[in-house]
Amino acid sequence: MSRAWNFSAGPAALPEAVLKRAQAEMLDWNGTGASVMELSHRGKHFMQLAAATEQRLRQLLAIPSNYKVLFLQGGATQHFAQIPMNLAPEGGSADYIVTGVFSKKAVSEAAFHVDARVAATSESTNFLTLPPRAGWQLNPDASYVHYTPNETIRGLEFHEIPDVGEVPLVADMSSNILGAPLDVSRFGLIYAGAQKNIGPSGLVLMIVRDDLLARPPRPIARILRYAEQAANDSMLNTPNTWGWYLAGLTFEWIEREGGLAAMGERNARKSAMVYEAIDGSDGFYRNDVERAARSRMNVSFVLHDAALDSVFLAESEAAGFIGLKGHKAVGGMRASLYNAVSQPAVDALVQFMRDFAARHG
Ligand SMILES: Cc1ncc(COP(=O)(O)O)c(C=O)c1O
């Protein structure tokens, strides 16, 4: 049995070393005679694992001491709704920068709990561009500004952290967290579903500044309050212990591979190679995203003749590739190049794309 070249957008490829380690430890983790999944989250073994995993992440991202790290559930989507409940008072307002399907979803879920204003949007370009910062209509009294640094569907990425003044910046980093070094101190709150660059789905990582946790609570259930989760080490109820464990293995792997600087360099190189294959194809492949906003994590492309889409997918699958079909909202193809997608996988993809174009061009 051989592993596929996996370019899925999420759930996505995990480092082979992480999977092998989990496999080796499945029946007897840490001398406990049980897998992590079978042990109490309150037991000393898991408590140690939880603390060590948080510490590893703190080191990787150089997270300042005035931020808490939470290991939550519900997917990023649940937090689209939960963030306004926690950060904005009743009747308060928040600004949203809408650059794709996920930020649009974020604003529509938030609207149940806050006056969610669209301060800038690039919908008129079909989310192929980023709205220039100069045109953002920010409200200085907003409870926070929310944006999506990497829109997974089109593959549209902010390459700089926008300056929004004193209002806390909230970022949905589901598809680019740990893909490159990051200055956490620029953010009020960062959150990410784990199933792309961290581990399995069902785990949400959150990094949140203390002053935001100290905002007066709304009358919402304790289980929905981030401050309660922080005060209880994310164990207000049973956490996703398996996801937490795999996240820890991934953090360890990133550390061993050279940390976030190494990830950033690799991802820049990998994405540049795929964009080069697209741009150098004489129009056989096309990526319409504004150059300066092309994503390093998700590279989308269309074929010059949509009738070839199914042929591309069938041939690529036969050649051992999976996950190349674009999101149904935009069609075409998409290659997601998360940390675990190796250079040999990208070399193989670029070679396949060139061969396919030569055969069908
Ligand atoms: C940027 C971004 N935000 C949010 C989501 C939704 O995540 P979940 O399915 O974990 O709720 C995704 C999923 O692909 C995503 O890419």
Side-chain angles (χ1 to χ4, degrees):
M1 205 212 98
S2 67
R3 298 265 298 157
W5 301 121
N6 187 354
F7 290 89
S8 301
L14 288 173
E16 209 167 289
V18 166
L19 297 175
K20 284 188 169 152
R21 169 97 177 263
Q23 182 183 43
E25 296 179 341
M26 183 66 85
L27 299 185
D28 179 11
W29 169 67
N30 213 16
T32 57
S35 71
V36 171
M37 270 182 288
E38 302 167 292
L39 294 168
S40 166
H41 58 297
R42 310 256 179 228
K44 80 169 185 226
H45 289 277
F46 188 80
M47 295 290 270
Q48 275 166 7
L49 176 150
T53 300
E54 175 180 338
Q55 210 40 49
R56 273 227 155 79
L57 182 74
R58 284 188 171 278
Q59 262 167 24
L60 275 179
L61 278 167
I63 299 175
S65 59
N66 62 324
Y67 286 75
K68 295 282 185 291
V69 175
L70 306 179
F71 292 82
L72 304 173
Q73 302 185 57
T77 308
Q78 182 173 309
H79 297 276
F80 291 165
Q82 228 173 303
I83 285 167
M85 291 181 200
N86 278 272
L87 302 192
E90 270 182 279
S93 85
D95 284 342
Y96 279 76
I97 311 305
V98 176
T99 51
V101 168
F102 289 111
S103 37
K104 207 171 159 181
K105 240 183 171 177
V107 74
S108 69
E109 291 298 307
F112 289 100
H113 309 286
V114 70
D115 174 17
R117 296 177 55 254
V118 175
T121 175
S122 54
E123 190 157 17
S124 64
T125 70
N126 242 328
F127 298 129
L128 290 168
T129 61
L130 292 175
R133 172 66 190 85
W136 294 12
Q137 305 283 313
L138 294 177
N139 167 12
D141 296 323
S143 291
Y144 59 88
V145 179
H146 180 285
Y147 85 121
T148 309
N150 186 68
E151 277 285 356
T152 321
I153 289 178
R154 279 279 188 214
L156 181 77
E157 183 180 5
F158 283 83
H159 290 277
E160 281 178 15
I161 303 168
D163 184 356
V164 295
E166 293 303 305
V167 177
L169 187 58
V170 171
D172 170 6
M173 291 199 188
S174 293
S175 52
N176 68 338
I177 193 156
L178 304 179
L182 180 74
D183 181 357
V184 171
S185 73
R186 299 281 307 277
F187 297 88
L189 185 153
I190 292 166
Y191 66 113
Q195 64 270 25
K196 299 162 201 298
N197 245 350
I198 298 174
S201 57
L203 176 74
V204 173
L205 194 68
M206 185 171 285
I207 303 166
V208 52
R209 214 171 57 208
D210 287 343
D211 60 294
L212 299 187
L213 293 176
R215 288 185 172 184
R218 282 199 200 191
I220 55 172
R222 284 183 70 214
I223 192 68
L224 299 175
R225 288 187 217 157
Y226 298 144
E228 289 281 348
Q229 287 289 10
N232 289 277
D233 299 324
S234 309
M235 294 193 196
L236 212 47
N237 66 333
T238 315
N240 176 351
T241 53
W242 177 246
W244 203 322
Y245 159 70
L246 282 179
L249 295 187
T250 301
F251 300 160
E252 209 178 317
W253 174 81
I254 293 174
E255 222 172 67
R256 250 193 343 265
E257 295 288 307
L260 297 186
M263 294 299 125
E265 280 163 25
R266 287 184 195 180
N267 293 329
R269 193 169 53 237
K270 282 157 32 187
S271 55
M273 279 181 66
V274 183
Y275 286 119
E276 218 172 274
I278 295 166
D279 297 339
S281 70
D282 279 333
F284 188 88
Y285 303 110
R286 221 176 61 238
N287 169 286
D288 293 327
V289 172
E290 170 190 10
R291 291 272 168 140
R294 282 176 160 185
S295 169
R296 288 165 294 188
M297 295 274 95
N298 313 97
V299 178
S300 66
F301 56 95
V302 292
L303 278 67
H304 74 99
D305 176 1
L308 283 173
D309 283 4
S310 55
V311 185
F312 184 95
L313 288 169
E315 288 193 16
S316 63
E317 201 171 311
F321 296 91
I322 58 173
L324 285 170
K325 192 172 196 292
H327 191 279
K328 60 184 185 311
V330 294
M333 307 297 150
R334 174 177 50 176
S336 294
L337 307 174
Y338 304 122
N339 291 344
V341 176
S342 67
Q343 186 64 51
V346 176
D347 293 343
L349 175 65
V350 164
Q351 191 58 49
F352 174 83
M353 287 172 69
R354 295 211 165 108
D355 292 349
F356 186 86
R359 277 184 282 112
H360 296 278

